[in-house]
Amino acid sequence: MRFATGLVLIDAPASALNMLGIDESLPDRNVTRVKTLRRGGRRYPYVSPQAWRYWWRFTLKEYFKWELSPLFREQKQVFTAANPLKYPDDDVFGYMRAFKKGGINVSVTRISPLKNTPLISVLPDRSSLTVDEGYASRHEGDPVPYSQEFYSTIFKGAFSLDLESVGRFTLISKAGFKNLLTWDDIPKDKKGNPKKGTEEIAEEIKEMERLAKELGVQKTEKEWLMPPDIRKKRATDAIKALHLLTGGAKQTQYHTDVTPKFVLLLNIDAGINPFISNVVFEEGGEVKVDAGALASRLADIGDLIPEGAKLYLGYDKGFVKSLGWNVEEIRNILEGAEIMVSVGTVKKAVEDFAKEVEDYYG
């Protein structure tokens, strides 16, 4: 069991990357709000986890040529093809297709190997959020007033990629583990043949088996396992995409580079993430990093860090300078706790970490 974990900081100097929409509770109903959440007595802007995942998927499609799983609609549900052999995003991001076709239950679900938090503003709304009062006046007649919130802040997010689950598909009849349909899911007639009306489902299973044979999938009674080179590529592509992250709303008016400007990356032999919680925090209106707390936390889980694994710290010089952080000081504190640290640019940290992930698959 190994998880590639990480923390990212995204600089949003004047942005509105994920909007809530028009606030219907206000009398004039013309204020477009950003999403916020409350913690204690403060509110914090955030980018929803599904928005971050959408950016991530789009980046993999654009820069790594992933063929994304198509979307289908059945009644009130929208779902993907649920074909993790053909579509790498079904494999890495998981899926849920839960409905009946012709009276036959064709539900399959897959717990996403890639898990991520929302991107949450380090600064509370009172220190980061403002309202832009504007007027639409390109038409004839009186100008139309409107208002739109935007923020100037730094977003913090964490993720965890279950390396063991990538390319491994279970057939266990349990929510999240019934990844694929099998012949046992199709009702049989008295002669043991698939009943009429099940042709479409039978074709889906045949196609999945054809793909499995073509790709060299190892099959047992309870799971299918893709070849190491495919699992390796999917996992490392997902990690490398961080450096090229693309997306966000309102880019026309608030053009924002959403690639991370600071990352911490570490492999761990357990499903925990040491970067969630206050490693990076706000104090007196400033964004700070607590290297001592991080060192202590990592020392506590030292027996779960694989032998030879490093903590990769990637940073953008301009970003770190603007925060007044001393990276060498951070490195010294971490190394003082006997943590192996590799420091470089964000690109170098991501690429070096991806190599360590690659080695896991042999």
Side-chain angles (χ1 to χ4, degrees):
M1 175 186 294
R2 182 163 298 177
F3 293 78
T5 64
L7 172 142
V8 303
L9 297 183
I10 291 174
D11 187 20
S15 314
L17 296 168
N18 193 205
M19 306 300 286
L20 180 64
I22 297 290
D23 189 342
E24 298 286 345
S25 66
L26 297 178
D28 51 6
R29 296 184 179 180
N30 69 351
V31 180
T32 306
R33 293 204 147 157
V34 300
K35 294 182 177 179
T36 59
L37 59 83
R38 184 180 293 280
R39 184 177 185 184
R42 295 179 173 184
R43 298 196 71 85
Y44 295 83
Y46 74 94
V47 173
S48 68
Q50 61 268 28
W52 186 11
R53 292 169 75 82
Y54 179 80
W55 302 355
W56 213 322
R57 263 192 168 99
F58 179 79
T59 303
L60 285 161
K61 172 179 174 286
E62 290 296 305
Y63 295 100
F64 296 86
K65 307 305 177 190
W66 277 25
E67 182 182 0
L68 299 187
S69 185
L71 295 174
F72 301 93
R73 182 164 186 168
E74 186 76 20
Q75 299 173 352
K76 294 182 178 179
Q77 297 182 42
V78 175
F79 48 85
T80 68
N83 184 340
L85 273 68
K86 182 175 183 180
Y87 302 108
D89 60 321
D90 272 349
D91 180 1
V92 173
F93 291 84
Y95 48 80
M96 182 173 73
R97 187 187 71 179
F99 68 97
K100 291 185 177 180
K101 183 179 288 185
I104 303 168
N105 187 355
V106 293
S107 298
V108 285
T109 58
R110 174 167 171 76
I111 297 171
S112 174
L114 178 63
K115 300 169 179 62
N116 60 277
T117 67
L119 295 168
I120 302 175
S121 170
V122 179
L123 300 171
D125 63 345
R126 70 185 183 194
S127 302
S128 60
L129 196 64
T130 190
V131 180
D132 176 46
E133 305 285 354
Y135 291 89
S137 57
R138 296 177 62 190
H139 59 287
E140 292 185 3
D142 296 333
V144 177
Y146 66 92
S147 303
Q148 179 178 295
E149 289 183 338
F150 71 100
Y151 39 67
S152 177
T153 191
I154 292 166
F155 284 105
K156 176 176 64 174
F159 71 90
S160 174
L161 177 62
D162 183 349
L163 302 183
E164 193 56 37
S165 291
V166 175
R168 184 184 293 276
F169 313 119
T170 52
L171 309 175
I172 301 168
S173 185
K174 178 182 173 184
F177 294 89
K178 177 69 174 172
N179 298 161
L180 304 170
L181 290 178
T182 67
W183 291 111
D184 291 339
D185 297 307
I186 295 186
K188 309 291 191 306
D189 59 21
K190 293 180 179 177
K191 295 181 179 178
N193 298 317
K195 283 186 174 179
K196 286 186 177 180
T198 63
E199 294 81 1
E200 191 176 340
I201 303 167
E203 282 303 314
E204 182 180 328
I205 295 172
K206 283 181 186 175
E207 172 62 12
M208 203 75 76
E209 290 190 331
R210 185 193 67 76
L211 273 174
K213 185 176 182 180
E214 179 181 307
L215 296 171
V217 172
Q218 294 179 28
K219 296 164 47 176
T220 64
E221 185 182 349
K222 292 190 175 180
E223 72 172 25
W224 290 14
L225 184 64
M226 298 193 84
D229 59 330
I230 296 178
R231 301 175 71 202
K232 182 188 303 183
K233 184 178 187 313
R234 291 181 176 183
T236 54
D237 280 358
I239 296 297
K240 290 175 182 175
L242 278 173
H243 170 55
L244 300 165
L245 204 61
T246 302
K250 298 290 180 183
Q251 288 284 14
T252 305
Q253 294 163 291
Y254 303 107
H255 184 41
T256 303
D257 176 11
V258 298
T259 57
K261 297 299 182 291
F262 182 88
V263 296
L264 293 170
L265 304 162
L266 178 68
N267 277 311
I268 298 179
D269 284 338
I272 58 177
N273 191 321
F275 306 122
I276 294 177
S277 187
N278 294 333
V279 173
V280 176
F281 61 100
E282 179 264 346
E283 186 175 87
E286 295 183 1
V287 178
K288 298 187 175 181
V289 59
D290 192 338
L294 177 60
S296 174
R297 197 173 295 170
L298 294 181
D300 266 359
I301 60 168
D303 55 335
L304 299 175
I305 299 174
E307 186 177 350
K310 294 179 181 176
L311 170 67
Y312 294 91
L313 188 160
Y315 71 102
D316 176 274
K317 284 186 179 178
F319 175 73
V320 167
K321 183 179 178 182
S322 71
L323 298 178
W325 293 1
N326 185 328
V327 174
E328 282 307 307
E329 189 177 309
I330 296 171
R331 180 213 288 261
N332 291 338
I333 292 172
L334 292 167
E335 289 183 339
E338 299 185 348
I339 297 162
M340 289 196 294
V341 186
S342 174
V343 176
T345 64
V346 172
K347 180 181 180 183
K348 186 174 189 313
V350 168
E351 290 184 347
D352 288 351
F353 183 58
K355 286 178 186 172
E356 197 175 294
V357 169
E358 194 175 81
D359 292 342
Y360 173 70
Y361 294 101

